[in-house]
Amino acid sequence: MPKTDFTILNRRRFLGGCAAAAACSACPSICTAASPAIPDVKARVRLVFAYPPKPIEGWPYLGYDHQGRAAEITTRLRHACPEIDFVTSAIANEAAGKEVLAGDRDIDGYMVFITGIPASAHRPFAYSGVPVVLVDDLYGGTGAFLSTYPDARRKGMPIAGVSSTDFKDVAQAARMFAVRRKLKESIILDVTNRDVSASFKTFRDNLGPTVKLISGQELDGFYRKADRAEGRKWAQTWMAGAAKVVEPTARELEDSGTMYVAMREMMAEHKAQGIAVDCLSLFYGNKLAAYPCMGFFQMNNDGLVGACEADLQSAATMLVLTYLTGKPGYISDPVIDTSKNQIIYAHCVAPNKVWGPKGASNAYELRSHSEDRKGAAVRSLMPLGPMTTTLKFVPQRKTMVIHTGKAVDNIDDDKACRTKLAVQVKDARKLMGGWDYGWHRVTVYGDERAALVMFSDLAGFAVEEEG
């Protein structure tokens, strides 16, 4: 497998370049140009076109131009998905399909288009255990598709299905392979003094990212060497952009800016796309000189991942969202209010560019960290009205939990964490009664459920609907 080809740059350019992070305009569903740290890799996907071996009565009709249709689809996908290297095959029977599977190397997955029936050439791919997107080319392969896709899913195959006249749905499915490839080339730093490395292999095997264990002392060492003048500039930038500054002093914000510089320096050294810090334990234990909250705020605005409390599940979820949607995830401690049929997502870290690095900014306030009333944190006043999608990937159980709702309020209450986004949900009581997989969840703006379910299907993750 080819190694990641990272853009070569020094740490100062890394820090500056990441502030200009943005989603790729050619591929709006994937943040391919977000930051110099994003892996510059291409997925390799084989397009398989399955149809009868000779002209025969059936769908679409006798004499249909299958080769012409295959050429059209290939051209459109190459144009829509420049982040993928497509190779193509026309397969007429199951034996030929098995031969292709046996001979392939370094393939990230298959997109199998059934363009005519009767046909069986798609079956070896559907049951191979290799990630497959099975596509019904409407009015061409429908009978074969409907008899195979549900059965393969029931058998636990990593398979996603597309049956749509909108070509954007086909392109979106193809891009899942690019997301998966980027995840495999990504690194998350887990900063903690606890021994949690036993779970790292599960993350790698089931979701993709490599996790590196970093001690609190190592991060503190980067902090001690970080450029305080640069940290001061970040503090000034945050103060200038804030609607108001409540508790934090200029010195506390300068410390936070310096911690941000330290984390980015450390990420540059390790070529990491994400960082999760055991912030509460390390700060309460005087192992860190400043909270990482403001640094996470900046990273999540800029297209990278900063996650609280060394929560690797949430960090990995946020990385999936960055690559899949180009938008940041908001990690939170959800609180349920059944009287209003709402869930409130509360935390002292939140982005203020919920639509991605090039999207609109919402207002924010600079506050202290809530629990101990120290340091600097953010209260983000997030947009109200849009749909939100809240989820978490749990690699240890190969499960994604998910629910959706509508953003309705920014709660102003001095209790608990600073940012409190209230979301109207379908059934808050049912959500309360079925909460599992830990407290934290990750929220992204927009209704991203369909894309996330497709990603989960392709990754072989079960999907559990909450509420």
Side-chain angles (χ1 to χ4, degrees), residues 145-455:
F145 175 87
L146 290 176
S147 65
T148 303
Y149 172 61
D151 182 65
R153 288 193 65 201
R154 282 192 295 270
K155 289 181 168 60
M157 296 295 108
I159 186 169
V162 179
S163 181
S164 172
T165 54
D166 190 341
F167 193 79
K168 287 186 293 186
D169 294 335
V170 177
Q172 173 79 324
R175 292 184 185 116
M176 300 296 166
F177 292 108
V179 173
R180 285 174 53 81
R181 182 58 186 273
K182 284 181 171 62
L183 287 168
K184 289 179 182 178
E185 302 296 335
S186 295
I187 295 170
I188 299 173
L189 304 183
D190 187 29
V191 183
T192 179
N193 288 345
R194 295 177 288 121
D195 184 8
V196 293
S197 57
S199 65
F200 291 177
K201 187 176 184 300
T202 304
F203 273 80
R204 174 71 176 172
D205 292 348
N206 291 347
L207 198 56
T210 295
V211 182
K212 290 186 177 181
L213 184 63
I214 304 292
S215 70
Q217 290 83 350
E218 183 174 344
L219 176 54
D220 188 61
F222 273 88
Y223 178 84
R224 302 298 170 189
K225 295 183 292 184
D227 185 344
R228 289 201 68 86
E230 188 169 1
R232 191 176 306 116
K233 289 179 181 178
W234 279 109
Q236 292 167 350
T237 297
W238 296 328
M239 286 188 286
K244 62 180 178 179
V245 180
V246 185
E247 297 90 359
T249 65
R251 177 55 188 264
E252 286 173 320
L253 285 161
E254 181 181 321
D255 290 345
S256 293
T258 306
M259 179 58 72
Y260 169 58
V261 173
M263 290 190 294
R264 296 304 296 270
E265 294 275 1
M266 189 168 71
M267 290 173 70
E269 182 166 295
H270 289 278
K271 298 180 179 177
Q273 293 70 41
I275 183 170
V277 180
D278 193 1
C279 42
L280 300 182
S281 295
L282 293 174
F283 189 81
Y284 293 168
N286 296 315
K287 304 297 184 184
L288 288 182
Y291 276 118
C293 306
M294 295 305 305
F296 291 165
F297 165 75
Q298 193 64 47
M299 288 178 199
N300 295 333
N301 277 347
D302 287 349
L304 295 179
V305 168
C308 316
E309 301 175 57
D311 182 348
L312 288 178
Q313 292 177 353
S314 293
T317 301
M318 294 163 78
L319 196 58
V320 171
L321 291 171
T322 296
Y323 293 164
L324 184 66
T325 73
K327 295 177 289 192
Y330 163 45
I331 182 175
S332 74
D333 298 326
V335 177
I336 294 172
D337 184 349
T338 58
S339 72
K340 297 180 180 177
N341 203 38
Q342 292 177 0
I343 184 168
I344 299 95
Y345 306 119
H347 238 221
C348 285
V349 171
N352 81 312
K353 295 185 73 66
V354 301
W355 302 110
K358 282 191 174 179
S361 301
N362 57 266
Y364 67 91
E365 301 170 357
L366 295 178
R367 302 294 310 268
S368 61
H369 192 271
S370 179
E371 282 88 343
D372 60 358
R373 306 291 156 131
K374 294 180 180 179
V378 173
R379 181 187 179 214
S380 182
L381 303 172
M382 295 188 181
L384 305 181
M387 291 291 292
T388 63
T389 305
T390 299
L391 68 146
K392 185 164 69 175
F393 285 96
V394 186
Q396 296 89 335
R397 294 168 67 173
K398 292 200 76 172
T399 297
M400 178 191 72
V401 290
I402 189 169
H403 64 270
T404 58
K406 180 181 178 181
V408 294
D409 197 7
N410 287 292
I411 303 295
D412 188 5
D413 190 323
D414 198 39
K415 293 182 292 184
C417 296
R418 297 304 189 185
T419 299
K420 299 181 185 71
L421 175 67
V423 169
Q424 205 78 31
V425 293
K426 183 178 179 180
D427 188 340
R429 186 165 293 280
K430 183 178 179 183
L431 201 61
M432 176 183 70
W435 202 261
D436 198 359
Y437 304 98
W439 193 5
H440 282 169
R441 292 294 185 272
V442 177
T443 299
V444 66
Y445 264 70
D447 186 352
E448 300 290 351
R449 182 190 172 281
L452 286 159
V453 169
M454 179 171 285
F455 176 87

Side-chain angles (χ1 to χ4, degrees), residues 49 51 61 63-76 90 115 137:
F49 297 95
Y51 49 84
Y61 51 78
Y64 181 75
D65 184 6
H66 293 285
Q67 292 180 345
R69 178 60 175 155
E72 176 193 355
I73 291 170
T74 301
T75 298
R76 293 182 71 180
T115 65
D137 199 37

